[in-house]
Amino acid sequence: MATSKLIPPHGSDELKILLLDGKEREDELKRAESLPKVTMTTRETGDLIMLGIGGFTPLEGFMGKDDWKGVCEEMKMANGIFWPIPVTLSHDEKIDPGTDIALISGETNEIMGTMKVTECYQIDKEFECKHVFTTADPEHPGVKMVMSQKDYNLAGPVKVLSESYFPERFKGIYQRPAESRKAFEEKGWKTIAALQLRNPMHRSHEYLAKIAIEVSDGLYIHQLVGGLKPGDIPADVRVKCINTLVENYFVKDRVMTGGYPLDMRYAGPREGLLHAVFRQNFGCTHMIIGRDHAGVGDYYGPFDAQNIFHELPEGALLCKMLPIDWTFYCYKCEGMASMKTCPHGKEDRLFLSGTALRKALSEGGDVPNEFSRKEVLAILREYYGGLQDDQRVEVKMHGHATGDAKKK
Amino acid sequence: MATSKLIPPHGSDELKILLLDGKEREDELKRAESLPKVTMTTRETGDLIMLGIGGFTPLEGFMGKDDWKGVCEEMKMANGIFWPIPVTLSHDEKIDPGTDIALISGETNEIMGTMKVTECYQIDKEFECKHVFTTADPEHPGVKMVMSQKDYNLAGPVKVLSESYFPERFKGIYQRPAESRKAFEEKGWKTIAALQLRNPMHRSHEYLAKIAIEVSDGLYIHQLVGGLKPGDIPADVRVKCINTLVENYFVKDRVMTGGYPLDMRYAGPREGLLHAVFRQNFGCTHMIIGRDHAGVGDYYGPFDAQNIFHELPEGALLCKMLPIDWTFYCYKCEGMASMKTCPHGKEDRLFLSGTALRKALSEGGDVPNEFSRKEVLAILREYYGGLQDDQRVEVKMHGHATGDAKKK
């Protein structure tokens, strides 16, 4: 029997943990108060926390220009290590290299960390967008995020002082890589598949999840608890849906749930790769990549995020993709199926657009059992029922505007 | 994109094909007629054909004593190559090394091949049984087969002259490794899972098959068309069932069917390994191992055949196991599930013993849709309906006697 050693972190023998604690943290916090302050967006704050807890191992801070360029062009940092999406910090003023700065959350005003600035540089944002998102269309929410960054990027090693509200607000869900790894070791799991979630789990997600369980030791349902685009289901509602589903339809020993603090970038294929990189840091050997993973609108082909994994050079990424085709309920198969396993026609299959689902849920219409479990639907009905009329309209319109209707 | 190179054969860069054709075959056949004749059992004949078509690559003939002993004790031949079950030929008289012999099918009297005897040796049959079957109980059908072998084992390189009735009787199903490999290459499949079948496919097998398809490029449904124990469904009926199921419930591009000429040995774990070895020769990268694979009665724990794969030294066997838990229909899950994915109780699950199924089929009782597809049941009903009463009794009694009721 092979020993139950977990997969190593990405590009490193151990997790690179930049979060301070105890006296060291106290002292640094005191020092930070007198430093020049740089305010971060939620995206930057989420990235900083991931740097802190080792989720972005082997990074030691925000990226300098060489890393930024290599990552954009070749998904490779200056040291040769694979990385698919820039992790950068922007600021509206130049700061001299050598300066120590305090990093402030723009959302909560909390001091989140400190950084020794080693580099201050300007980037071609369009260049970044075209490489990372394959588009510079300002309607793309990820592009919008990059284009609204400030003029200068600041690079340097960070010390992280807080995980913000995540541990408290998402108690029992938010998890550090060291925690998930410890849990996996205790369970004796060796092959662990990660399921990325930013929506409630319907039966199609349950099917992905269960295929993964059938072929692995366990499943890590890993939800984004950071920022989403407007109209997406808020994280706390989603957490409730997922917990209910797991409670009623999963074998407890085979599944673990967790949450991570990043904002969605909607970078499709590149984000699929980033998902695999940090899941490896959380201890997972496989990353489930379904249809239109991390996509938005029509920007990516439905299986672009699977194809990009095939193009990686050997050894670039230890965490492997577990690709799964478009899934649905088929009335002739009498069960869940995918394009790979069901030979029947469109008319035999149940498809429900995001828009149709939201309409049914907010207006009390029927949602078939074959689409979603009754326990999950009850929670969603309650959420949509509680929305004000204007929010409801916004939710629905946004669904349309971003092409979300075609999402699972 | 990695090139679509198939997995190499076991222990060799290319298939070891010992089957002659054309003039070479004609000449050898003529020569064989004047040689001393050794009559083979169906098991030995099936093994010889597998040697001929390269299914038993890298073997060049029946095993000598060192190989036999190494295989029994350590699953390793004298040359260090992994092999899990002896491939031997027995005879009731001593034959001097150096003698050329003709190999005759005891079933059809056809000359199947020739062998240059390099060794004639006696074995401790009980020793073989205890290692290979983990029991010497004469009720075990595999043990019975070994114990009824003749007194001497003959070893030596073989030339194979015929594939017997397999290509004709199982036209479209019987396949050589070179044929399956060619087909896989044409389909562009790289990861191919093999499903071993010696019974009709019910929904539990369909579920195994479909999980494998979800996570591979394609599935090779590979049926045994050699000998079974009395009471098992004959190969031609089974072939019909499987073809109907594939026709109605599988995506054509994702599945291929084939048949191989071996007799079952019912060696459980060791036979699971043998199944993986020769599936690798047929071009498969994964071997599905479900509950009680190749088992019989109560001789093996339900997952012994999975566990043995974990004990292999690194590199011993390139074809990997795809382990799948006990599968069934669950009324609460509203679909197929396994012990790994369904948290519900016994009372929610549909189990049907082999005995109950046979009773329902032969007496016209109901078999639920959730157990087997209607198209498959129709074929089985026809088969059982056509049996004579005494055959029916034998079928049922045998089911009991061998503990077959507990088989899937």
Side-chain angles (χ1 to χ4, degrees):
Chain A
M1 196 73 138
T3 56
S4 100
K5 232 184 142 212
L6 295 180
I7 193 168
H10 180 61
S12 171
D13 289 340
E14 48 186 38
L15 290 170
K16 200 130 281 165
I17 296 181
L18 308 172
L19 183 67
L20 304 185
D21 61 6
K23 181 151 188 330
E24 212 180 0
R25 177 176 171 277
E26 296 298 314
D27 293 348
E28 187 67 8
L29 207 49
K30 217 164 286 165
R31 195 176 75 92
E33 277 161 15
S34 60
L35 297 177
K37 291 184 170 39
V38 166
T39 300
M40 299 181 294
T41 63
T42 59
R43 199 271 290 155
E44 291 161 345
T45 306
D47 287 358
L48 182 71
I49 298 172
M50 279 292 262
L51 287 166
I53 60 181
F56 276 170
T57 300
L59 306 191
E60 307 200 10
F62 289 104
M63 288 179 180
K65 189 156 192 178
D66 285 354
D67 284 343
W68 170 82
K69 188 160 181 284
V71 166
C72 287
E73 280 186 330
E74 302 182 83
M75 303 199 286
K76 215 157 78 177
M77 295 188 286
N79 60 10
I81 293 176
F82 172 78
W83 199 274
I85 294 185
V87 175
T88 56
L89 170 67
S90 80
H91 190 51
D92 49 10
E93 285 173 9
K94 264 194 178 167
I95 291 186
D96 289 335
T99 312
D100 282 343
I101 58 174
L103 303 171
I104 311 297
S105 160
E107 190 185 8
T108 64
N109 285 320
E110 188 188 1
I111 299 178
M112 296 297 301
T114 61
M115 184 169 91
K116 177 171 287 297
V117 177
T118 53
E119 210 183 324
C120 175
Y121 60 102
Q122 286 192 287
I123 58 161
D124 178 345
K125 292 179 186 173
E126 211 177 296
F127 172 92
E128 174 169 334
C129 289
K130 281 189 175 158
H131 276 94
V132 173
F133 301 103
T134 67
T135 174
D137 181 351
E139 291 293 308
H140 183 296
V143 171
K144 195 185 278 174
M145 191 158 69
V146 171
M147 297 313 282
S148 65
Q149 285 173 198
K150 317 278 175 36
D151 285 347
Y152 300 95
N153 276 2
L154 305 177
V158 297
K159 290 176 179 168
V160 183
L161 301 171
S162 166
E163 291 163 278
S164 187
Y165 48 72
F166 291 105
E168 188 58 37
R169 189 179 298 173
F170 298 101
K171 219 183 169 104
I173 290 292
Y174 174 79
Q175 220 169 21
R176 300 176 183 177
E179 291 167 337
S180 58
R181 285 178 166 268
K182 185 158 171 275
F184 296 156
E185 265 172 7
E186 283 167 2
K187 289 169 188 292
W189 292 355
K190 281 176 289 182
T191 54
I192 300 141
L195 179 67
Q196 155 73 24
L197 275 186
R198 58 177 164 119
N199 284 308
M201 271 177 94
H202 300 299
R203 287 196 63 182
S204 60
H205 307 101
E206 183 188 328
Y207 181 58
L208 301 185
K210 289 191 167 177
I211 292 169
I213 294 174
E214 296 292 7
V215 300
S216 318
D217 294 333
L219 177 79
Y220 189 41
I221 299 181
H222 205 202
Q223 326 185 24
L224 180 136
V225 292
L228 293 158
K229 57 185 171 49
D232 285 345
I233 305 271
D236 54 339
V237 178
R238 185 173 6 105
V239 166
K240 240 164 108 182
C241 289
I242 291 169
N243 287 349
T244 301
L245 185 73
V246 168
E247 183 69 31
N248 286 286
Y249 295 96
F250 283 78
V251 175
K252 302 220 167 2
D253 286 353
R254 295 294 180 181
V255 60
M256 200 171 93
T257 56
Y260 66 97
L262 294 185
D263 280 13
M264 274 303 294
R265 285 161 157 95
Y266 302 97
R270 289 268 192 136
E271 193 156 1
L273 293 172
L274 183 68
H275 283 162
V277 166
F278 72 75
R279 261 50 174 251
Q280 182 178 329
N281 288 334
F282 279 85
C284 300
T285 53
H286 291 80
M287 177 75 218
I288 300 173
I289 304 285
R291 183 174 165 273
D292 201 17
H293 187 97
V296 62
D298 284 329
Y299 295 100
Y300 309 108
F303 298 103
D304 285 1
Q306 293 184 359
N307 296 335
I308 200 169
F309 276 82
H310 291 301
E311 291 159 14
L312 298 186
E314 184 75 26
L317 179 56
L318 296 184
C319 178
K320 297 297 165 215
M321 157 176 68
L322 182 62
I324 305 198
D325 210 314
W326 194 3
T327 59
F328 44 79
Y329 189 92
C330 169
Y331 289 96
K332 265 203 184 144
C333 288
E334 294 182 324
M336 297 304 300
S338 84
M339 293 297 203
K340 275 174 97 179
T341 51
C342 164
H344 305 121
K346 242 183 175 163
E347 66 284 4
D348 303 312
R349 297 171 180 161
L350 174 65
F351 291 111
L352 206 57
S353 73
T355 312
L357 176 67
R358 279 185 281 269
K359 195 170 146 67
L361 288 171
S362 54
E363 295 172 7
D366 262 355
V367 179
N369 232 3
E370 291 81 8
F371 184 82
S372 200
R373 300 292 186 184
K374 59 183 186 301
E375 295 87 347
V376 172
L377 290 173
I379 293 167
L380 290 176
R381 276 189 208 288
E382 196 190 327
Y383 163 68
Y384 279 102
L387 288 182
Q388 303 303 314
D389 274 352
D390 56 337
Q391 288 173 288
R392 235 180 270 170
V393 170
E394 196 227 331
V395 165
K396 275 187 278 168
M397 284 186 57
H398 199 97
H400 265 302
T402 61
D404 208 35
K406 289 179 302 168
K407 295 264 162 292
K408 277 178 296 190
Chain B
M1 196 73 136
T3 56
S4 101
K5 233 187 140 211
L6 295 180
I7 193 168
H10 180 62
S12 170
D13 289 340
E14 48 185 39
L15 290 170
K16 200 127 283 165
I17 296 183
L18 308 172
L19 184 67
L20 304 186
D21 61 5
K23 179 148 189 333
E24 211 181 358
R25 178 177 170 276
E26 296 298 314
D27 292 349
E28 187 67 7
L29 207 50
K30 217 164 285 166
R31 195 177 75 92
E33 278 161 16
S34 61
L35 296 178
K37 291 181 172 42
V38 167
T39 301
M40 299 181 294
T41 63
T42 59
R43 198 271 290 157
E44 290 161 346
T45 306
D47 286 359
L48 182 71
I49 299 172
M50 280 291 264
L51 286 165
I53 61 180
F56 277 170
T57 299
L59 305 192
E60 307 200 10
F62 289 104
M63 288 179 179
K65 189 156 191 178
D66 284 354
D67 284 344
W68 170 82
K69 188 160 182 283
V71 166
C72 287
E73 279 186 331
E74 301 181 86
M75 303 199 285
K76 215 156 81 175
M77 295 188 287
N79 60 9
I81 294 176
F82 173 78
W83 200 274
I85 294 186
V87 175
T88 55
L89 170 67
S90 80
H91 189 53
D92 49 8
E93 285 173 9
K94 264 194 179 164
I95 291 187
D96 288 336
T99 311
D100 282 344
I101 58 173
L103 303 172
I104 312 297
S105 159
E107 190 185 9
T108 65
N109 283 322
E110 189 187 359
I111 298 178
M112 297 297 302
T114 61
M115 184 169 91
K116 178 173 286 298
V117 177
T118 54
E119 211 184 324
C120 175
Y121 60 103
Q122 285 191 287
I123 58 161
D124 178 345
K125 292 178 186 173
E126 211 178 295
F127 172 92
E128 174 170 335
C129 290
K130 282 189 175 158
H131 276 94
V132 173
F133 302 104
T134 66
T135 173
D137 181 351
E139 290 294 306
H140 184 296
V143 171
K144 194 185 278 174
M145 192 156 69
V146 171
M147 297 312 281
S148 65
Q149 285 172 198
K150 316 279 176 38
D151 284 349
Y152 300 95
N153 276 2
L154 306 177
V158 297
K159 291 177 178 169
V160 183
L161 302 171
S162 167
E163 292 163 277
S164 187
Y165 47 74
F166 292 105
E168 187 57 37
R169 189 180 297 173
F170 298 102
K171 217 182 172 108
I173 290 292
Y174 175 78
Q175 220 169 21
R176 299 176 183 177
E179 292 168 336
S180 59
R181 286 179 164 266
K182 185 157 172 275
F184 295 155
E185 265 172 8
E186 283 167 3
K187 288 170 188 292
W189 292 355
K190 279 176 290 182
T191 53
I192 301 141
L195 178 67
Q196 155 73 24
L197 275 186
R198 59 177 163 118
N199 284 307
M201 271 177 94
H202 300 299
R203 286 197 64 183
S204 59
H205 307 100
E206 182 189 328
Y207 181 57
L208 300 186
K210 290 191 166 176
I211 293 169
I213 294 174
E214 296 292 7
V215 300
S216 319
D217 294 332
L219 177 79
Y220 190 40
I221 300 180
H222 206 202
Q223 328 184 21
L224 180 136
V225 292
L228 293 158
K229 57 184 170 49
D232 285 345
I233 306 271
D236 54 340
V237 177
R238 185 174 5 104
V239 166
K240 241 163 108 180
C241 290
I242 292 169
N243 287 350
T244 301
L245 185 74
V246 168
E247 182 70 29
N248 287 286
Y249 295 95
F250 282 79
V251 175
K252 301 220 168 3
D253 287 353
R254 295 293 181 182
V255 60
M256 200 170 93
T257 55
Y260 66 96
L262 294 184
D263 281 13
M264 276 302 294
R265 285 161 157 96
Y266 302 97
R270 289 269 190 136
E271 193 156 3
L273 293 171
L274 184 68
H275 284 162
V277 166
F278 72 76
R279 262 48 174 251
Q280 182 179 328
N281 288 333
F282 278 85
C284 300
T285 54
H286 291 80
M287 176 75 217
I288 301 173
I289 304 285
R291 182 174 166 273
D292 201 18
H293 187 97
V296 62
D298 285 328
Y299 295 100
Y300 310 107
F303 298 104
D304 285 1
Q306 295 184 358
N307 296 335
I308 201 170
F309 276 81
H310 292 301
E311 291 159 15
L312 299 186
E314 185 77 26
L317 179 56
L318 297 183
C319 179
K320 297 295 166 217
M321 157 177 67
L322 182 61
I324 306 196
D325 210 314
W326 193 4
T327 61
F328 45 78
Y329 189 91
C330 168
Y331 289 96
K332 266 204 183 142
C333 289
E334 295 182 325
M336 297 304 301
S338 83
M339 294 298 205
K340 275 174 98 178
T341 51
C342 163
H344 305 120
K346 242 182 175 166
E347 65 284 5
D348 302 312
R349 298 170 180 164
L350 174 65
F351 291 110
L352 206 56
S353 72
T355 311
L357 176 67
R358 281 186 280 268
K359 193 171 147 70
L361 289 170
S362 54
E363 294 171 8
D366 262 356
V367 179
N369 231 3
E370 290 82 9
F371 184 82
S372 200
R373 301 292 186 183
K374 57 183 186 300
E375 296 86 347
V376 172
L377 290 174
I379 293 167
L380 290 176
R381 275 189 209 288
E382 196 190 327
Y383 163 68
Y384 280 101
L387 287 182
Q388 301 303 314
D389 274 351
D390 57 336
Q391 288 173 291
R392 234 179 271 171
V393 170
E394 194 227 332
V395 165
K396 276 184 280 169
M397 283 187 58
H398 200 94
H400 265 303
T402 61
D404 207 34
K406 289 178 302 167
K407 296 266 161 291
K408 277 181 295 190

